[in-house]
Amino acid sequence: MCAPSDQEPQPGEYVVDEKDNETYASAMRPQSFFRRYRVVLIVVVAFVVVVMLILRHHKQQQAAQMEGGPGAGASGRVRGGGGGGGGGRGGPNGPVAVTVAPVASGDIEVRIPALGTVTPLATVTVRPQVSGILTKIGFEEGQLVKAGQFLAEIDPRPYQAALDQARGNLRRDQALLTDARLSLKRFEELIKEDSVAQQQLDTQRALVDQYSGMIESDQANLQTAQINLQYTHIGSPVTGRVGLRQVDQGNYVTPSDTNGIVVVTQLQPISAIFAVPEDNVSILMQRMQQGATLTAEAYDRANSTKLADGQVKNLDNQIDTTTGTIKLRALFDNKDARLFANQFVNIQLVVNVLRGQTVMPGAAVHRGAPDGVAGTFVYLVDPAESKVSVRPVSLGVSDGERVAVVKGVAPGDLVVTEGGDRLRDGAPVLLPANTPQHPQQAGLPRKQDGFKGQRRNRAQQRQDQ
């Protein structure tokens, strides 16, 4: 409740001054104005921004047309016309730049791709045949060695002593046998005179047989001692490359050692084992029974670099039922050592060579239904009219980027290899020989950047006018 201005305010009463009311009303007038016309102001600002953008875009178009020089007006109108009758290169009715290739007559190889593993013909773990101290190592890791080349030596002294002992035992028993045979001969003379008993003669004969058996045993012991002594000198069993050393000099080695001394792998020649589908068994057997030499080409993991050429030597005697494949072994000379043991390779098995085939690039083949029937077709180029036509084709064997054509095209025809996704039957094309040059190469004025270039173009236009 408000108290009169001529009276004193009572305790607890709120007094409003007229001056304060006027100040508050004047402060609220601008806020109420902006709040009342806020939508109108936003619409006006948006309209101004749109007009500025339209004017800027129009100026950019004018500058772009003036940059092309005095002779660019007609071409600019053709490009801007879109679907007009000019048929410019960039328009929907204009010719399409394509790459073509001729259809030729040649040979094509029938290949079977496969995955294989390089497998050495021999991988030998060199183990000691006798026990003893390894006294000498005669190879370097990774060294190429020949069959019989010295690799290591075990202390031969105990085995030399055993050999000498065996020789001594043989000589002793040979002397005992000689004495027993002489005694037997005397007893046989005395028995005729009845000077000795028959039992004594029989005992002497048995003694001769006993010494004969001891001689045979001594000879066997002598041979065993000789073999053991030879085992102390360890040589390479095959020609190949030695791997990492498994035991160092000074260790005590035995024949029961699992790792042995070193592993020798034969690398020249080397083989590759690969598997092909069982559907190809009949043609493989037929070619091999005819005495044909099947070539196997080994490629790297990326299937881009050829590593070696080899020949198929044999195939397995049964089909793997779990995979439906049959294994083959191909032999490679590997003179340059590009094939390594257990290396993964891609194999291209050349089964046959077809002579006099119609061949074209595989990039020219399209798949679809241009005439309502799904199949394979190519775009055949008419060089006289620079137009293409859809030509259905029947394909044969493919060899890499080439494919044999059974029906549809003939040697000498031109087919489109690039740019076919933008073509249709009867579409005009721009052949590589007729492709226009770059504006700078054709002698057209070079595009100028910035305001200086625009001013120069405008001045040039005025002079031409």
Side-chain angles (χ1 to χ4, degrees), residues 30 32 102-103 108 209 233 370 381 429 453:
S32 60
V103 180
I108 193 166
D209 293 339
H233 183 91
V381 180
V429 293

Side-chain angles (χ1 to χ4, degrees), residues 175-245:
L176 291 176
L177 178 60
T178 301
D179 181 66
R181 285 176 177 174
L182 293 174
S183 298
L184 177 60
K185 186 176 182 180
R186 288 193 296 268
F187 288 158
E188 289 176 347
E189 294 294 333
L190 292 175
I191 196 63
K192 296 177 182 179
E193 300 175 357
D194 199 18
S195 300
V196 293
Q198 183 66 35
Q199 181 180 2
Q200 190 174 0
L201 177 62
D202 295 339
T203 302
Q204 191 64 30
R205 287 176 177 171
L207 184 61
V208 171
D209 293 339
Q210 179 181 354
Y211 287 152
S212 297
M214 292 176 62
I215 293 298
E216 294 178 358
S217 178
D218 292 340
Q219 290 176 347
N221 292 334
L222 178 61
Q223 292 179 356
T224 301
Q226 291 175 344
I227 293 174
N228 290 336
L229 183 60
Q230 293 176 358
Y231 282 156
T232 60
H233 183 91
I234 302 174
S236 176
V238 295
T239 299
R241 185 190 299 273
V242 297
L244 301 179
R245 187 173 64 250

Side-chain angles (χ1 to χ4, degrees), residues 60-81:
Q60 289 179 351
Q61 286 184 343
Q62 290 181 348
Q65 292 179 358
M66 296 179 65
E67 286 178 1
S75 62
R77 286 191 295 272
V78 171
R79 286 193 296 268

